[in-house]
Amino acid sequence: MVARPESEEETPGGWFAVAFGKDVPAGRVARSEIGGRELVVYRTGRGDIKVISPYCPHLGAHLGYGGRVRDEEIVCPFHGFAFGPGGACTATGNGAKPPKISLTSWPSREVGGLVLAWRHPAGLGPQWEPDDMPGAYPYPVHTSYLERIRLNDVGENSVDLGHFTHVHKAVRPEVMQGFTTDGHRAGGTLRASVVTLPARPPVEVHFSFRYWGMGLLVIDFEPVRWPVRVRLVIAATPAGRGSVRLRVSTSAAIEPEGMVAFASPRARRVLAAGVARAVDGWVQRGLRDDIVIWTHKTFLDRPRLADGDQGIAAWRRWVRQFYELDPAPKEVPAPAPALGVPEFGGRAAGERREDAR
């Protein structure tokens, strides 16, 4: 057995996105979830992000419905109990001595424009730290989906060379660097000609895929003859009830060369924002095509792989570790350098709405 489908009872471990950072400004309280477990995400007045279990330990009020941030504390809507950044109760609403109770906090980080929370199958703390994952370029377009799909299908898709031709109409997809792994990190590169706009000829594009666990995927793609770099960040989080929350960020950067050599930095930023919106339309069309298939497919534990499917076999071997995280506590290693970005042509390859909950 090389991989397993997810269920509410069996959710892989790792760092998973629980919000876009921009959606949790100072003083904001938001609701989220991982693997069917509700969470509350908030930012203190000083700007620190916090992820907690949602229920007040006093009498069980849900802090995501009426809870508010007061300076560095979150205040329960039921009796006004306040809890400090470390989770301990610091005050009561009637002036009585605060009891020795605490909120349940989840390890959290803010990386690459995303708020991440750590989940371990045995309830242990982080077994690794998220790298300095490259986030979006300026002016990203954000989209969120909640779909009845499997977490495995989202990541496996990028190493499934055959589907690029059949589903996305890519011409001559070719692996440049096969699927390589380094602990909780993995990646690969390929090139293909794709049709980005209707009635336009295919454009050769180089793609770089980088994973940080099963929940974080960054795709940098660069058209060979265009002075543009595009970054697609896909954060996939198990949401319970057989669903996955996809948070997608599409952004672009314009190189100061070629047809924009004499454009000002501001003009390039404006152009980059327009490119991001245009490319996002193409990305979302392709993603919707994938989602239709993911929604209705089943998981084959022992698929009959064909020539060219080596990446799928490698992916499934790699993801086993996230279902079988070491149950014994161990020292958290220091963050490792992010996987290098391949160089193409001397250059580094590099708001929509949030669904109402």
Side-chain angles (χ1 to χ4, degrees), residues 171-192:
V171 180
R172 297 183 301 277
E174 178 186 351
V175 173
M176 300 173 67
Q177 176 184 316
F179 185 71
T180 58
T181 65
D182 178 15
H184 63 276
R185 300 180 300 274
T189 60
L190 61 87
R191 62 186 172 196

Side-chain angles (χ1 to χ4, degrees), residues 4 34 53 67 72 75 86 98 111 115 121 123 138 178 180 189 191 202 221 229 273 295 304 306 347:
R4 289 175 284 190
I34 293 179
S53 293
E72 302 306 296
V75 181
V111 181
V115 177
T180 58
T189 60
R191 62 186 172 196
F221 50 99
R229 287 177 286 138
T295 301
R304 300 296 187 261
R347 291 178 284 146

Side-chain angles (χ1 to χ4, degrees), residues 51-110:
V51 179
I52 58 175
S53 293
Y55 299 107
C56 177
H58 174 222
L59 279 177
H62 197 300
L63 298 172
Y65 294 89
R68 62 186 178 88
V69 175
R70 185 178 65 198
D71 297 326
E72 302 306 296
E73 301 170 322
I74 186 169
V75 181
C76 176
F78 199 6
H79 298 92
F81 279 40
F83 299 86
C89 184
T90 57
T92 61
N94 61 5
K97 180 180 178 180
K100 293 183 178 180
I101 55 177
S102 297
L103 300 173
T104 300
S105 298
W106 289 56
S108 60
R109 309 286 186 268
E110 190 167 7

